[in-house]
Amino acid sequence: MSAAISDPWPAPRVKEPLDAVVRLPGSKSLTNRALVLAAIAEGPSVVRRALRSRDSLLMARALTALGSTVDTSGDDWTVTPGEFVRDAEIDCGLAGTVMRFVPPLAALSAGTVSFDGDPHMRNRPVGPVLSALGDLGVPVTGTALPFSVVGTGQVRGGTVVLDASGSSQFVSALLLAGARYERGIEIRHNGPSVPSLPHIDMTVSILREHGVEVEAPEPGAPATRWRVVPGPIAAVDHTIEPDLSNAAPFLALAALSGGSVTVPGWPQHTDQPGDRLRDLLTEMGCTVQLHHDGLTLTGPTPGTLRGLDADLHDVGELTPAVAALCALASTPSRLTGVGHIRAHETDRLSALAAELGGLGADVTEHPDGLELRPASLHGGLFHTYADHRMAHAGVIVGAAVDGVEVENVATTSKTFPDFAPFWADLTRTA
């Protein structure tokens, strides 16, 4: 029976090596991309092992509001495309994918589609997507939430120039809808380097699985131009991979306790940024084995976890969990390249500096990252800022430090329903 979840929540302390098998929910990023393409495909399709979380349910409701039908009653979700001919109101909640991926679809509607979300979402950038739609002739009212897209039933498409240095989702949003535009779409990035490129690779891969012709930069080439050719989007059933970024706190348990955690279903090949955890945790002193039925990570002797010097530009969503581990490491760490995560669910760099520092960590905040040095941490309240990744950082520290309480741990439902009781059950015997 799971422990009751209070707020603030006393993070369970792990004092013995943990040996566990952790089956992760499906990837939010893959689930929402699969849902978007299914909603504008040539026929019905099924998204198997879809992540049932607030973000993915918001996406399902948004696509249903536009005119498609998403049946979320079972583990496998059936999506039936429909005509986008009516006015609609879209609740984005705290889901960046809904706020950014749905407007280019709403442009195909013959109605007015209004968008709003949780108060904090009004601070998250979406302007480059809306400006691009305006350049394509789509009437848009507003530059941030709340805003409206006035569709005419078609979009001429063509070339747009934007600055995607704030989020890779700006590019993915337009790519996902581009095949339905009359002239397709060509996206030219003009600005500092685009973060989280694996997420764009994920978008390109899933488009190609649907038979869409996509031109993308070759590996190692400057990521400045993408093109989607107009044409049909085939109906394709998808089985969603486990969410590898959600593996971070569980692998951290093994890393800190000197134990072992196995994640079944870890793919041999994937575009998910979370796959980078294998390299990062190996550098910190862990042993990682990728085998035919999953991944097993074994931590070093407790107290010997090494610090890390890493550019996390392409995997910024891993920063909170990695920073928490670095705060507990035996040698200094430097995390760079993640200035863009200041515009995620919260300003994650300032939040991490404040919350880890509040528990005694020796941390310095820089414009694009953090420096952390070995220090003795103590208990206290760890604020999450309604950010699921911040909650992951809090429970990681709590596993190694007595007396840590995590405020609003329920925010983890964004990508992992019932995370707190699952974590409590997992750590109870360790």
Side-chain angles (χ1 to χ4, degrees):
M1 182 176 178
S2 298
I5 303 306
S6 58
D7 188 17
W9 186 60
R13 179 79 160 84
V14 176
K15 297 184 178 181
E16 299 293 335
L18 179 78
D19 188 3
V21 175
V22 177
R23 298 185 183 277
L24 296 171
S27 162
K28 178 203 70 174
S29 298
L30 285 169
T31 295
N32 280 359
R33 284 164 172 77
L35 291 175
V36 166
L37 290 176
I40 53 176
E42 295 290 286
S45 56
V46 178
V47 180
R48 298 189 177 93
R49 292 193 74 247
L51 172 67
R52 182 178 297 277
S53 72
R54 188 185 183 208
D55 275 24
S56 53
L57 289 170
L58 285 169
M59 180 64 81
R61 292 167 192 152
L63 298 172
T64 299
L66 288 180
S68 295
T69 301
V70 183
D71 181 355
T72 63
S73 58
D75 292 337
D76 301 335
W77 296 2
T78 301
V79 185
T80 305
E83 294 293 322
F84 294 178
V85 294
R86 60 199 189 204
D87 294 347
E89 295 182 357
I90 306 298
D91 177 11
C92 301
L94 281 170
T97 51
V98 176
M99 180 179 69
R100 293 161 180 157
F101 290 2
V102 178
L105 301 187
L108 295 164
S109 174
T112 297
V113 183
S114 301
F115 293 78
D116 205 351
D118 291 5
H120 179 72
M121 282 296 283
R122 299 183 179 190
N123 300 321
R124 296 191 69 184
V126 69
V129 174
L130 303 182
S131 294
L133 292 176
D135 293 342
L136 296 175
V138 179
V140 178
T141 301
T143 59
L145 286 178
F147 61 83
S148 296
V149 175
V150 183
T152 61
Q154 59 184 17
V155 179
R156 68 168 184 263
T159 300
V160 293
V161 179
L162 54 79
D163 180 354
S165 61
S167 174
S168 66
Q169 289 181 359
F170 301 158
V171 175
S172 288
L174 296 163
L175 291 178
L176 288 167
R180 289 286 306 274
Y181 294 174
E182 293 176 353
R183 297 185 340 213
I185 194 163
E186 179 177 330
I187 303 165
R188 296 181 181 176
H189 163 65
N190 182 21
S193 60
V194 180
S196 303
L197 286 174
H199 278 119
I200 299 180
D201 295 338
M202 181 188 298
T203 300
V204 170
S205 294
I206 197 169
L207 281 165
R208 288 173 175 164
E209 289 177 33
H210 282 261
V212 176
E213 185 177 342
V214 187
E215 297 175 13
E218 294 294 327
T224 57
R225 178 185 175 274
W226 297 263
R227 178 172 175 261
V228 169
V229 175
I233 299 172
V236 176
D237 294 346
H238 288 282
T239 299
I240 302 301
E241 297 173 357
D243 190 323
L244 305 188
S245 294
N246 264 341
F250 300 101
L251 297 180
L253 283 178
L256 291 170
S257 72
S260 181
V261 166
T262 296
V263 180
W266 195 289
Q268 297 291 318
H269 304 285
T270 181
D271 292 316
Q272 288 194 62
D275 193 44
R276 178 85 184 280
L277 287 166
R278 293 192 291 144
D279 297 329
L280 294 171
L281 291 172
T282 297
E283 290 181 42
M284 297 188 79
C286 300
T287 301
V288 179
Q289 294 178 307
L290 181 62
H291 37 84
H292 69 279
D293 56 356
L295 176 138
T296 299
L297 181 139
T298 303
T301 302
T304 66
L305 192 70
R306 296 192 296 266
L308 190 65
D309 189 340
D311 182 340
L312 301 181
H313 184 262
D314 284 346
V315 293
E317 66 195 50
L318 302 181
T319 305
V322 171
L325 276 177
C326 289
L328 298 162
S330 61
T331 63
S333 298
R334 185 173 66 125
L335 308 177
T336 61
V338 286
H340 60 282
I341 70 171
R342 293 185 182 280
H344 281 198
E345 281 81 345
T346 188
D347 179 339
R348 285 178 172 170
L349 291 180
S350 291
L352 285 166
E355 299 310 312
L356 292 173
L359 299 182
D362 184 354
V363 54
T364 301
E365 178 184 352
H366 295 287
D368 76 331
L370 300 169
E371 283 188 72
L372 301 106
R373 292 160 293 275
S376 296
L377 274 64
H378 54 75
L381 180 62
F382 192 98
H383 297 91
T384 63
Y385 307 83
D387 184 339
H388 60 139
R389 303 295 183 200
M390 286 296 297
H392 290 170
V395 299
I396 289 170
V397 175
V401 177
D402 289 326
V404 174
E405 293 186 309
V406 180
E407 172 261 345
N408 189 20
V409 73
T411 193
T412 51
S413 65
K414 179 181 176 72
T415 54
F416 196 129
D418 296 324
F419 173 88
F422 184 90
W423 184 270
D425 286 346
L426 184 70
T427 58
R428 181 167 288 116
T429 59

